[in-house]
Amino acid sequence: MACTSLPKHSLPFLQASIPTRNPHSPTLTIISKLSQSQIYGLKLSSPSTRLVPSSSLPPRTPMCAKVSKGDVPPSFTLKDQDGKNVALSNFKGKPVVVYFYPADETPGCTKEACAFRDSYEKFKKVGAEVIGISGDDPASHKAFSKKYRLPFTLLSDEGNKVRKQWGVPSDLFGTLPGRQTYVMDRNGVVQLVYNNQFQPEKHVEETLKLLKSL
Amino acid sequence: MYTLTPHSHLPTLPRLPRTCRATATSPARTSTADPPRHLPITATTTITTPATANGSSLHSTWAHRAWVASGFASVLSSLAKSVSAAVDSGSAFDPLLAAFLGYILTDLGTGFYHWAIDNYGGPSTPIFGRQIEAFQGHHRWPWTITQREFANNLHALARAVTFAVMPIEFFATANDAAVHAFVGACAGCVMMSQQFHAWAHGTKSRLPPVVVALQDVGVLVSRAEHAAHHRPPYNSNYCIVSGVWNGLLDEWKVFEAMEMMVFFRFGVRPRSWSELELEWKEESGGVSSESHNC
């Protein structure tokens, strides 16, 4: 069947290089190698083009509002779906996957949550904990978690304070809360920052890939 | 684009959950989002048989025919002016290119319009309420579009074309062949999109061979492509002129992005997020009544 069709290219306006500044180093570290756009995924963990190798720097708690690879993110205490306070420090000593997502009961977030659920055994196998964070309240998380039988913790970041503190970028000119996943190793140091708004299942692939290499 | 399907009492229902799909219960939680609209808690709906139970609703009336005639007159007037201007200028390239662009862009326009009508508003929405109701009826009884007579199917769009083309043509310069060609092509494709849509619901054996051929080469939206729009999750293949934009819009998740933007900006969920498929699911015909409690 001969059909006309328009070319399918990545949206150029969504591709960008994101500079990061390390306050402990006079050198501006620029991540110039980006794997993909916001549509197809942005992995902010490639060290190959850093001007200062991350391994030579001690982990730091960022002073500016952005958590990057090599950082120890600021701790937080948020309410889970049962209304209980949960602190990031509760999970010290084990790898932690913290995924920020826009909202409960939206198609992409549901796909992402179900993908984490379906691969949860693999996360348990490597000893990792999975935490989902959005601005929804605990009641919303409870309903969402119950409906899709999610085995992991969902935290309510009401007011999106932690999202802002960690520097999760918004999408689509600031209209959409970003979908970004962080993987912390057993020492609490961020080893992966993965951003992909419209391919939510890829967050699971990328995090598992990284966890297996830790 | 869709004419009203009488006897369809479309529900103003809350959405019920479905596995791995969205529901309409959680509010958007961002600092920029307006408080979300909460859907009614309880509603009862009675769905009677579709338009085929009342054959007159599928027939063309003289009013329908008059609107279609005026629509075609508007289109032909634009095209005639374009031809005249092209002859005067001695060049057909610009108007032909403009007409082609009009055909291509109309496909895109039908996609956005179709997406908006399918997902937002309801029967009581000003101006668009009847169309929204008709669109929902079409999803439940898609085959009825193939039973509508020509003018019955097209008259609503013909009316819109008549009123849209008149002022444009009034202000367009008489010797601007490209503008007239663009307007004529756009208007013609918009008006005929409902016929293209009806053909996309037809069966190969019952369609004229030339229509089948045009569908097969992608000049008209294909039956297979449009059928995908009528399958869950009902959120793709919105374009209904040639469908040339469907792949791109779906690949880039344009409508998904727009739905998320609308949700976070206005707190309104699109119908395609609904897990209650009654509003979308094709009915086999007959009577059903449902009561829904949230």
Side-chain angles (χ1 to χ4, degrees):
Chain A
M1 177 174 90
C3 293
T4 55
S5 63
L6 292 166
K8 299 167 188 177
H9 301 298
S10 299
L11 293 170
F13 67 85
L14 290 178
Q15 291 178 334
S17 293
I18 300 177
T20 59
R21 183 184 294 277
N22 186 335
H24 297 289
S25 165
T27 308
L28 181 69
T29 303
I30 297 171
I31 300 173
S32 61
K33 181 184 174 185
L34 300 175
S35 55
Q36 285 156 326
S37 70
Q38 284 182 4
I39 295 280
Y40 296 107
L42 191 68
K43 198 186 299 186
L44 305 175
S45 64
S46 171
S48 58
T49 56
R50 279 179 177 264
L51 300 181
V52 177
S54 59
S55 57
S56 70
L57 296 169
R60 64 178 187 99
T61 300
M63 292 166 65
C64 57
K66 184 179 168 66
V67 171
S68 305
K69 181 172 157 48
D71 294 340
V72 172
S75 189
F76 56 73
T77 301
L78 298 173
K79 286 199 177 352
D80 71 3
Q81 58 263 48
D82 295 315
K84 289 186 223 152
N85 283 330
V86 172
L88 182 61
S89 52
N90 290 2
F91 306 100
K92 210 178 264 189
K94 52 165 83 173
V96 181
V97 175
V98 173
Y99 79 92
F100 288 88
Y101 64 96
D104 296 335
E105 303 288 8
T106 57
C109 306
T110 303
K111 277 185 207 159
E112 188 177 21
C114 290
F116 273 114
R117 174 199 66 197
D118 295 342
S119 296
Y120 191 62
E121 286 307 310
K122 296 179 188 170
F123 286 97
K124 296 309 284 181
K125 207 171 172 183
V126 296
E129 197 58 57
V130 175
I131 300 170
I133 300 181
S134 78
D136 300 293
D137 60 27
S140 172
H141 281 337
K142 191 165 182 77
F144 186 52
S145 181
K146 188 177 176 186
K147 190 167 90 178
Y148 296 110
R149 295 170 284 109
L150 304 178
F152 46 84
T153 302
L154 296 177
L155 298 180
S156 297
D157 181 19
E158 296 192 63
N160 294 306
K161 295 192 185 87
V162 176
R163 177 183 282 271
K164 286 173 197 158
Q165 194 180 29
W166 284 40
V168 178
S170 299
D171 289 325
L172 295 176
F173 312 106
T175 57
L176 214 52
R179 189 187 306 281
Q180 185 149 294
T181 297
Y182 300 82
V183 179
M184 274 73 71
D185 62 18
R186 288 169 210 280
N187 301 317
V189 178
V190 173
Q191 297 298 338
L192 172 71
V193 181
Y194 183 73
N195 186 299
N196 191 330
Q197 179 67 249
F198 293 107
Q199 292 179 306
E201 301 96 334
K202 282 198 178 279
H203 287 251
V204 175
E205 281 174 42
E206 294 296 326
T207 50
L208 279 174
K209 212 189 306 181
L210 189 277
L211 284 167
K212 283 172 186 169
S213 69
L214 285 180
Chain B
M1 290 179 193
Y2 295 80
T3 52
L4 182 64
T5 304
H7 307 296
S8 63
H9 300 277
L10 295 164
T12 51
L13 296 170
R15 311 288 189 251
L16 295 181
R18 179 175 81 191
T19 305
C20 285
R21 297 287 294 164
T23 62
T25 54
S26 305
R29 286 288 194 147
T30 65
S31 56
T32 58
D34 290 337
R37 291 186 347 195
H38 295 283
L39 297 170
I41 300 298
T42 306
T44 301
T45 193
T46 301
I47 304 155
T48 56
T49 50
T52 47
N54 179 355
S56 63
S57 64
L58 301 177
H59 294 322
S60 298
T61 64
W62 283 109
H64 295 161
R65 294 185 186 104
W67 280 118
V68 171
S70 72
F72 272 115
S74 305
V75 171
L76 291 171
S77 165
S78 292
L79 294 176
K81 285 180 191 171
S82 176
V83 168
S84 172
V87 165
D88 288 344
S89 69
S91 170
F93 179 77
D94 282 353
L96 284 174
L97 180 65
F100 179 70
L101 277 177
Y103 157 73
I104 293 290
L105 289 176
T106 309
D107 187 57
L108 181 65
T110 61
F112 279 92
Y113 187 79
H114 186 178
W115 165 79
I117 294 282
D118 258 4
N119 284 289
Y120 299 100
S124 58
T125 302
I127 302 173
F128 301 102
R130 267 176 77 95
Q131 275 210 315
I132 293 168
E133 189 175 24
F135 271 58
Q136 292 191 13
H138 172 68
H139 270 273
R140 298 183 104 129
W141 305 288
W143 68 90
T144 58
I145 194 174
T146 63
Q147 297 165 353
R148 292 188 179 281
E149 290 182 348
F150 183 72
N152 177 294
N153 204 16
L154 267 61
H155 77 278
L157 286 172
R159 183 169 51 225
V161 160
T162 302
F163 287 124
V165 169
M166 270 193 316
I168 295 171
E169 286 295 310
F170 181 78
F171 288 109
T173 315
N175 58 354
D176 199 331
V179 170
H180 291 301
F182 182 80
V183 170
C186 280
C189 289
V190 164
M191 202 169 69
M192 288 298 292
S193 64
Q194 189 63 343
Q195 184 57 54
F196 303 156
H197 180 206
W199 284 333
H201 279 279
T203 51
K204 192 173 177 178
S205 58
R206 292 187 178 184
L207 289 171
V210 66
V211 169
V212 173
L214 289 172
Q215 289 176 335
D216 287 345
V217 298
V219 172
L220 298 180
V221 63
S222 73
R223 298 178 308 284
E225 198 167 295
H226 189 64
H229 175 68
H230 284 270
R231 287 194 295 270
Y234 312 104
N235 64 353
S236 65
N237 294 284
Y238 284 104
C239 302
I240 58 166
V241 172
S242 61
V244 69
W245 287 92
N246 279 329
L248 192 80
L249 292 171
D250 294 341
E251 175 87 11
W252 285 9
K253 300 185 193 283
V254 170
F255 295 120
E256 186 176 329
M258 287 172 59
E259 285 163 6
M260 290 290 277
M261 289 168 70
V262 169
F263 174 65
F264 280 99
R265 180 65 184 85
F266 301 108
V268 179
R269 291 175 182 270
R271 268 187 285 278
S272 63
W273 289 9
S274 169
E275 295 187 5
L276 176 63
E277 293 189 35
L278 280 180
E279 292 177 15
W280 300 89
K281 192 177 174 184
E282 185 172 326
E283 298 277 347
S284 57
V287 178
S288 66
S289 63
E290 280 123 345
S291 191
H292 300 274
N293 292 302
C294 189

